Amino acid sequence: MRWLLSSIAALSLAVPASHGAAAAPAPAALVEPACRAGTAPYQRELERELRLPVDGRQSAADCAAIRRLQQRLGVRPADGSANLRTYRFVVADSIRRNPAQRRTCPAKPYRVTCVDLTRQVLWAQSGSGRRLVFAPVPIRSGRDGLETRRGWQRIYLKNRDHFSTIYRVPMPYAQFFNGGQALHGTRSDLFSSGSGGCVNLAIGDAKRLYNLLVKGDRLYIWGTKPGTGG
């Protein structure tokens, strides 16, 4: 009898006092803030890209769709604005996905770094099929009066930690191709103004390209940077 009472007491301690008590509430789901960006200069272009009604006016649906696109492409800030930064990332992604958009750059059996000044995008390709060996990325080329030189070029000097004595700015991962003009990284905004003639890339992109190319590598540069006369 004493053994039975002890067992009942132990069981009563193991059972919750109130069988009807609710479980602890789960953490509230994170709610994405409302998308509030207004109409921006590349509204129509992004509406076409996203197959939205093309009216050139930002709607709540447009804003949300553009923000999802920015998140997919890694555009920061992902705020839903149809700005130049987002448009250039869209152009680079389109070139990556569609080999037909790489035809302006000559197909060669060797590696060619392609610099499209009109679309402000750089990539590297190889072979008759224009196989990508460096995916397209946005760039910033020379501003009006200091345009990046066009045509066939060749990497003749590499300097990981170059510093410009002319402009007094660092030029990390510099790869010179024509006089003082080089491919190199910058922390400046790629989507405003222009360089002194160099082809500027985001630091991470410049580092990856530096590690890929070697002295003697060929570049092909063509087109005209929007807003310049050359």
Side-chain angles (χ1 to χ4, degrees):
M1 186 66 176
R2 183 178 300 169
W3 172 84
L4 180 59
L5 291 174
S6 298
S7 299
I8 293 172
L11 183 60
S12 68
L13 291 174
V15 177
S18 174
H19 297 285
L30 293 177
V31 178
E32 194 169 29
C35 196
R36 302 187 185 282
T39 301
Y42 290 85
Q43 194 72 42
R44 290 181 180 274
E45 289 84 351
L46 294 187
E47 287 169 346
R48 290 191 191 95
E49 172 69 20
L50 294 167
R51 299 181 182 178
L52 298 167
V54 180
D55 58 10
R57 297 191 302 272
Q58 181 85 306
S59 67
D62 291 347
C63 191
I66 293 169
R67 180 164 64 183
R68 288 192 296 271
L69 175 68
Q70 291 169 328
Q71 291 167 341
R72 179 174 67 83
L73 297 179
V75 178
R76 297 290 181 269
D79 57 4
S81 175
N83 52 31
L84 176 59
R85 177 188 300 270
T86 302
Y87 175 67
R88 288 270 168 79
F89 272 89
V90 166
V91 169
D93 185 61
S94 181
I95 295 169
R96 177 188 64 80
R97 291 183 286 107
N98 186 358
Q101 295 200 28
R102 305 196 287 269
R103 287 179 182 165
T104 315
C105 189
K108 297 292 182 181
Y110 48 83
R111 180 170 58 214
V112 177
T113 298
C114 307
V115 183
D116 185 337
L117 301 180
T118 302
R119 293 185 287 183
Q120 291 289 283
V121 176
L122 173 152
W123 70 92
Q125 63 187 32
S126 179
S128 59
R130 294 178 171 84
R131 178 179 62 88
L132 283 176
V133 294
F134 187 88
V137 296
I139 61 164
R140 181 179 70 170
S141 64
R143 58 186 177 271
D144 204 10
L146 294 170
E147 291 86 355
T148 302
R149 300 181 188 105
R150 292 172 288 199
W152 282 103
Q153 309 288 345
R154 189 186 297 270
I155 300 293
Y156 71 88
L157 177 67
K158 291 166 64 80
N159 187 333
R160 186 181 298 269
D161 300 306
H162 186 75
F163 186 87
S164 171
T165 56
I166 298 175
Y167 296 103
R168 309 298 299 172
V169 294
M171 294 170 53
Y173 305 107
Q175 304 187 81
F176 290 88
F177 59 82
N178 189 312
Q181 295 191 351
L183 310 169
H184 70 83
T186 182
R187 298 193 184 281
S188 299
D189 183 7
L190 291 178
F191 309 99
S192 65
S193 183
S195 74
C198 291
V199 175
N200 296 163
L201 301 92
I203 297 290
D205 293 336
K207 180 179 180 180
R208 290 190 299 110
L209 189 63
Y210 187 93
N211 291 335
L212 173 69
L213 304 186
V214 298
K215 286 174 63 174
D217 255 279
R218 301 299 302 273
L219 284 71
Y220 184 71
I221 304 173
W222 76 97
T224 301
K225 175 181 170 65
T228 67

